[in-house]
């Protein structure tokens, strides 16, 4: 590309006038933006940032006194990346928010084309219902509401219950494919006993006439934290991965694919005193600390994290984790989409 400093003033003025003329016809010169559109490496506007759970919790409980779950439909504080303010997104492709439901409340049933996950952080006595089956929400449980499934939340206990919501809202927005529908009833009718989906699809067995497609979302819509911890501690007797510690990804047990076609999730255990080697990948990731704490070094940024804190690792930023005590992290990203499109890339130090 010719440097502007090498063009005489008359030439620059001619170009400016040319740009103004074609702009009136909704045309623009590629050569002025090519470096931005096709960068040599990812340049995410998202920032490495951490949300302190205790601070966000205080604001969320304050919201509980200002608006009901029924009036809000979903009483949520969006975790908005400071590099993407005003866009209701935590990364370029994903959304995150903290949701509160108080004792006796119901967040009314609805459905939408956006896929969603819930990670329970605090409280007991609440439930999520998905297409006629309820599951009791327990801390650390990973719960899914697949696209276009009716779901509602209720709290029949005595404590406030808080969880992290993760959705593919920006992806659906990009594709202009968003639909939503409210149910005629706040609470959907229960048609299956609790645990039915896990029994049918979560024990390395399937109904004899069930033929899943690889792109289908999982029928197992709750992954209990107790089983996650058991699996992580089970592999912790073996060799440790220097970049990830002991890390497992959640899968659709019927296909081996991601639980949702647009969002992948994982859990990892880091032993006390462990420090990972540097690693970076093209999928921006959201991490939640379920146990322990430590330091996340993300590029040039250093973040101290503790229990229930949330932090973001933007695309192509190197991540190093160092923990002082045994730590369990949950994470989710858009890796399944990138893999499907042949875009995902990883680099290890």
């Amino acid at each position: 590309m010719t440097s502007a400093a090498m063009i005489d003033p008359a030439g620059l003025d001619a170009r400016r006038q040319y740009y103004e003329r074609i702009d009136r016809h909704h045309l623009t010169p590629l050569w002025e933006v090519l470096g931005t559109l096709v960068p040599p490496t990812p340049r995410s506007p998202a920032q490495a940032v951490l949300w302190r759970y205790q601070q966000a919790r205080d604001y969320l409980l304050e919201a509980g006194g200002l608006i009901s779950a029924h009036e809000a439909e979903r009483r949520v504080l969006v975790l908005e990346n400071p590099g993407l303010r005003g866009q209701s997104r935590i990364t370029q492709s994903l959304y995150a928010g903290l949701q509160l439901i108080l004792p006796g409340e119901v967040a009314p049933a609805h459905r939408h084309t956006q896929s969603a996950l819930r990670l329970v952080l605090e409280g007991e006595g609440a439930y999520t219902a998905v297409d006629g089956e309820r599951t009791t929400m327990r801390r650390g449980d990973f719960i899914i509401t697949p696209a276009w499934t009716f779901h509602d939340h209720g709290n029949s206990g005595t404590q406030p219950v808080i969880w992290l919501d993760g959705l593919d809202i920006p992806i659906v927005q990009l594709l202009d494919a968003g639909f939503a529908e409210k149910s005629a009833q706040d609470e959907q009718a229960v048609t299956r006993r609790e645990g039915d989906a896990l029994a049918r699809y979560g024990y390395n067995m399937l109904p004899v006439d069930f033929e899943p497609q690889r792109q289908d979302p999982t029928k197992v819509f709750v992954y209990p934290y107790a089983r996650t911890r058991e699996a992580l501690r089970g592999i912790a007797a073996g060799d440790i991965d220097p970049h990830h510690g002991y890390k497992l990804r959640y899968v659709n047990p019927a296909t081996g694919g991601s639980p949702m076609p647009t969002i992948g999730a994982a859990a990892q255990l880091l032993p006390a005193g462990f420090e990972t080697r540097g690693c970076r990948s093209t999928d921006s990731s959201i991490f939640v600390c379920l146990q322990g704490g430590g330091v996340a070094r993300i590029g040039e940024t250093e973040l101290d994290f503790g229990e229930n804190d949330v932090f973001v690792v933007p695309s192509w930023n190197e991540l190093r984790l160092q923990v002082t005590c045994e730590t369990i992290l949950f994470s989710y990203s858009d890796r399944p989409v990138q893999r499907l499109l042949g875009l995902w890339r990883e680099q290890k130090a």
Side-chain angles (χ1 to χ4, degrees), residues 89-128:
R89 56 184 68 182
I90 193 166
T91 71
Q92 283 278 64
S93 59
L94 295 171
Y95 160 102
L98 291 173
Q99 183 164 172
L100 166 69
I101 188 163
L102 296 172
E105 288 190 321
V106 172
H110 66 197
R111 63 179 178 175
H112 39 69
T113 46
Q114 295 83 358
S115 299
L117 65 84
R118 328 287 173 190
L119 182 71
V120 186
L121 298 178
E122 179 182 340
E124 297 180 354
Y127 68 84
T128 284

Side-chain angles (χ1 to χ4, degrees), residues 164-231:
L164 177 83
D165 287 324
L167 288 87
D168 57 3
I169 290 173
I171 296 174
V172 177
Q173 284 180 326
L174 174 67
L175 300 173
D176 286 334
F179 291 87
E181 179 183 349
K182 295 183 180 181
S183 173
Q185 294 81 35
D186 284 352
E187 297 179 85
Q188 60 185 287
V190 175
T191 58
R192 299 191 306 274
R193 66 172 181 83
E194 182 167 350
D196 182 81
L198 193 61
R200 290 177 188 272
Y201 306 99
Y203 286 89
N204 296 318
M205 302 179 75
L206 296 172
V208 294
D209 58 352
F210 179 61
E211 296 292 339
Q213 302 300 309
R214 185 164 179 83
Q215 71 274 13
D216 290 344
T218 178
K219 294 288 187 180
V220 174
F221 69 96
V222 57
Y223 294 75
Y225 185 41
R227 293 180 66 172
T228 298
R229 288 198 308 265
E230 182 182 2

Side-chain angles (χ1 to χ4, degrees), residues 129-143:
V130 179
D131 272 354
E133 182 181 337
R134 288 184 177 181
T135 185
T136 302
M137 304 178 85
R138 298 179 175 87
R139 186 175 184 279
D141 286 356
F142 168 42
I143 300 169

